[in-house]
Amino acid sequence: MAAQAHIARPDPHTASDKEWGEYLFMRKNPKGVHFERWFHANGCRKWFHMARHTVSHEILAIYGITEPAPKLDGGEGTS
Amino acid sequence: MKYSIFNLLRQARDYHKNWPQAWRSPDPKPEYDVIIIGGGGHGLATAYYLAKEHGITNVAVLEKGWLGGGNTGRNTTIVRSNYLWDQSANLYDKSLQLFEGLSQDLNYNVMFSARGVINLAHNEHDLKELARRGHACRLNGIDYELVSPQQIKEIAPIINISPSIRYPVLGGAMQRRAGNARHDAVAWGYARRADEYGIDIIQNCEVTGIDIADGKVTGVQTTRGAIKAKKVGAVVAGHASVIGQMAGLKLPVESHALQAMVTEPIKPVLDTVLMSNTVHVYISQSDKGELVLGAGIDGYNSYGQRGGIDVIEHQLEGLVELYPIVKRLRIMRTWGGIVDICPDASPIISKTPVDGFFMNCGWGTGGFKATPGSGWAFAHTIAQDRPHKLN
Ligand SMILES: Cc1cc2nc3c(=O)[nH]c(=O)nc-3n(C[C@H](O)[C@H](O)[C@H](O)COP(=O)(O)OP(=O)(O)OC[C@H]3O[C@@H](n4cnc5c(N)ncnc54)[C@H](O)[C@@H]3O)c2cc1C
Ligand SMILES: [Zn+2]
């Protein structure tokens, strides 16, 4: 199971409804390279990050959930 | 040409050599009043209702591949309107009502078959949810009745109602007006009628950009050149975010693969549709005899139009336990489509911050049933520049 990674949680006490709505619901949905947080539900139950192409499903990088997104050749594709 | 028994006989006399083509394949004109992006069922229905209900016929439907080659031709064809929320129930029931008269309206046999749909309950919570949904539906005038395991067994003898299986059948709810329809006929029927109104249906024409000046849409860029338009409506299912991005819009939509499959054809064993949301097993039998099986979505974003084998395995585990006769059948084909999932699993039919640009998306795993209603409401939204009260 996976979903978009690197989403910063705004402060719920100060965030506007719009900011909170964006945080909860708005997602990048690129046709290309996607940076995701994964949970290995059927295995070791580890959380980790993955950079993956959403058309070819090629895995481009695996990294820890506290690490910044790696710079990849071609960057964040959209095509 | 009107499709009728007389024309069928006339054409048979001529050895079927003189049937006219069902729609033209025109080159794009430089400008249209309305451009619809996406030649799936929803886009073609939108074009048809723009002409029929609003008299707007200077319209083009732009499709990057072939008509119905997206989710329209990939779904398991279940049509129903038993939704909990008023907003959903009203829209989906409008669609079901349109389905009921669609073959006549389009003069094209969409093979809508009201064979009934049963939702199965596999735990206490499912039972309560179905009871609540049943009450809500009936308050909205939508038929939806609770059925016991024994009643289900009578309707569908192939089901295993033993209490000792992993997900036993504790009960269910049935919408008798629901059923299925032939999905590609829906696309073709709308295409043919839209074409009769003079609407241009242009295949192999991918939209690559949305032209916007001073916050207003002016046209689109395509693989077949730039085309101007006063209004543009996009209804591209799994590619909603891609088109949205072209217009600078961010959407609460994520694209996932959804899979289905068919078994080898067998004699008639099932004349209704059975759905188990809890274990993601959906089953019906096609007129050709194949058992049509639907699964759940893959747990990660994808534009790859194919899904993971683990989802199929999971689906089959539930299937063989619930319908043991399928154990020795071969699976003939599996395939996937890319569906546009919203956080609330509810669609968006809307104006956008860009003047003259409209979006219709978020139908996710369940938009085939909505094809007529969605097109009807989207046509209204585009023509009147404001949503209908159904959307
Ligand atoms: C396996 C599966 C099973 C399903 N089962 C059911 C079911 O039983 N019941 C139900 O109600 N629903 C079901 N659905 C959902 C249903 O199929 C969809 O919600 C519905 O068909 C969407 O229709 P559409 O016309 O919007 O999309 P589509 O038919 O996908 O049409 C969108 C079109 O837009 C085109 N397009 C995309 N980008 C561009 C571009 N840039 N330029 C030009 N054209 C473009 C695509 O090529 C495509 O033809 C299922 C879906 C799948 C995948
Ligand atoms: Zn692991």
Side-chain angles (χ1 to χ4, degrees):
Chain A
M1 276 189 298
Q4 185 185 330
H6 307 293
I7 299 174
R9 185 175 192 259
D11 182 344
H13 302 291
T14 56
S16 66
D17 283 354
K18 190 169 187 307
E19 282 164 348
W20 193 249
E22 294 250 333
Y23 158 68
L24 278 184
F25 300 123
M26 294 301 186
R27 291 292 177 265
K28 285 182 185 160
N29 185 23
K31 186 174 184 177
V33 180
H34 196 25
F35 296 87
E36 301 170 311
R37 175 165 297 178
W38 277 76
F39 176 56
H40 193 184
N42 296 323
C44 61
R45 306 188 74 76
K46 227 181 222 158
W47 293 89
F48 59 99
H49 278 176
M50 184 191 289
R52 186 180 60 92
H53 198 283
T54 58
V55 181
S56 67
H57 296 170
E58 187 185 350
I59 295 169
L60 303 163
I62 299 282
Y63 55 103
I65 57 169
T66 55
E67 291 170 42
K71 288 239 172 335
L72 300 167
D73 291 346
E76 223 183 84
T78 50
S79 62
Chain B
M1 176 192 284
K2 190 171 179 344
Y3 291 162
S4 67
I5 184 76
F6 303 108
N7 273 324
L8 184 63
L9 292 174
R10 211 165 288 144
Q11 296 297 329
R13 190 194 57 202
D14 299 341
Y15 299 99
H16 296 294
K17 282 188 189 135
N18 298 325
W19 286 108
Q21 59 181 10
W23 55 83
R24 300 160 295 134
S25 287
D27 287 323
K29 288 190 255 177
E31 183 166 4
Y32 292 93
D33 290 341
V34 180
I35 283 178
I36 303 296
I37 308 172
H42 288 225
L44 294 163
T46 306
Y48 169 64
Y49 292 115
L50 274 173
K52 184 188 176 208
E53 305 283 343
H54 307 279
I56 301 172
T57 55
N58 184 19
V59 177
V61 179
L62 309 181
E63 165 56 47
K64 73 173 170 173
W66 65 94
L67 296 190
N71 294 344
T72 297
R74 292 166 188 268
N75 58 64
T76 48
T77 77
I78 303 172
V79 175
R80 58 186 177 88
S81 66
N82 49 356
Y83 279 74
L84 173 69
W85 299 103
D86 295 351
Q87 294 88 333
S88 304
N90 294 334
L91 182 57
Y92 285 103
D93 205 58
K94 167 77 187 172
S95 197
L96 180 54
Q97 288 166 26
L98 288 170
F99 253 117
E100 285 165 343
L102 199 58
S103 293
Q104 285 73 24
D105 186 30
L106 297 180
N107 177 228
Y108 201 99
N109 189 359
V110 301
M111 296 167 77
F112 174 64
S113 158
R115 58 185 60 190
V117 170
I118 301 179
N119 291 91
L120 300 176
H122 295 292
N123 54 45
E124 249 339 275
H125 172 81
D126 283 357
L127 273 178
K128 296 217 163 88
E129 195 273 334
L130 286 181
R132 178 184 179 211
R133 188 138 61 99
H135 296 321
C137 281
R138 284 194 303 280
L139 285 173
N140 279 318
I142 294 169
D143 72 302
Y144 202 36
E145 61 198 82
L146 293 175
V147 281
S148 69
Q150 288 70 28
Q151 281 173 298
I152 297 169
K153 180 81 183 165
E154 261 164 48
I155 297 168
I158 64 168
I159 199 167
N160 177 7
I161 55 167
S162 158
S164 59
I165 62 176
R166 175 67 185 84
Y167 293 100
V169 178
L170 300 184
M174 181 168 196
Q175 185 179 26
R176 291 183 193 270
R177 282 166 62 228
N180 39 32
R182 180 172 174 201
H183 49 205
D184 32 23
V186 172
W188 298 337
Y190 276 121
R192 175 166 160 272
R193 289 287 267 160
D195 179 85
E196 277 174 15
Y197 279 112
I199 288 172
D200 286 353
I201 295 165
I202 301 163
Q203 303 181 66
N204 296 312
C205 180
E206 179 169 356
V207 171
T208 53
I210 311 283
D211 294 331
I212 298 165
D214 304 323
K216 194 178 169 353
V217 80
T218 58
V220 296
Q221 297 291 324
T222 80
T223 47
R224 295 179 66 176
I227 311 174
K228 289 207 186 80
K230 297 189 186 74
K231 291 178 177 178
V232 175
V235 50
V236 292
H239 279 77
S241 301
V242 177
I243 293 284
Q245 199 179 27
M246 291 177 193
L249 306 173
K250 213 168 157 190
L251 303 169
V253 169
E254 288 190 284
S255 300
H256 288 258
L258 177 66
Q259 297 182 86
M261 66 215 85
V262 291
T263 67
E264 57 189 312
I266 54 171
K267 286 182 180 171
V269 293
L270 183 63
D271 61 359
T272 187
V273 182
L274 292 153
M275 305 181 61
S276 296
N277 292 67
T278 303
V279 289
H280 285 307
V281 174
Y282 309 101
I283 182 170
S284 64
Q285 188 168 23
S286 76
D287 297 326
K288 284 184 285 183
E290 302 155 333
L291 295 179
V292 181
L293 310 168
I297 59 169
D298 280 3
Y300 45 87
N301 292 35
S302 174
Y303 286 88
Q305 231 171 61
R306 66 193 179 284
I309 196 75
D310 59 311
V311 172
I312 292 183
E313 188 184 357
H314 178 71
Q315 193 275 152
L316 292 177
E317 282 167 4
L319 185 81
V320 295
E321 204 177 42
L322 278 170
Y323 311 99
I325 69 147
V326 304
K327 265 185 202 159
R328 289 164 61 195
L329 292 178
R330 293 184 189 85
I331 298 289
M332 303 273 282
R333 299 185 294 283
T334 75
W335 63 89
I338 300 304
V339 297
D340 40 339
I341 307 271
C342 278
D344 62 353
S346 295
I348 300 165
I349 307 177
S350 181
K351 296 175 66 164
T352 69
V354 178
D355 214 9
F357 182 69
F358 304 83
M359 289 233 40
N360 182 347
C361 61
W363 294 97
T365 62
F368 172 66
K369 65 177 79 67
T371 305
S374 157
W376 190 88
F378 198 35
H380 183 281
T381 307
I382 294 172
Q384 312 286 326
D385 212 20
R386 63 187 150 78
H388 188 271
K389 67 174 186 317
L390 282 178
N391 60 300

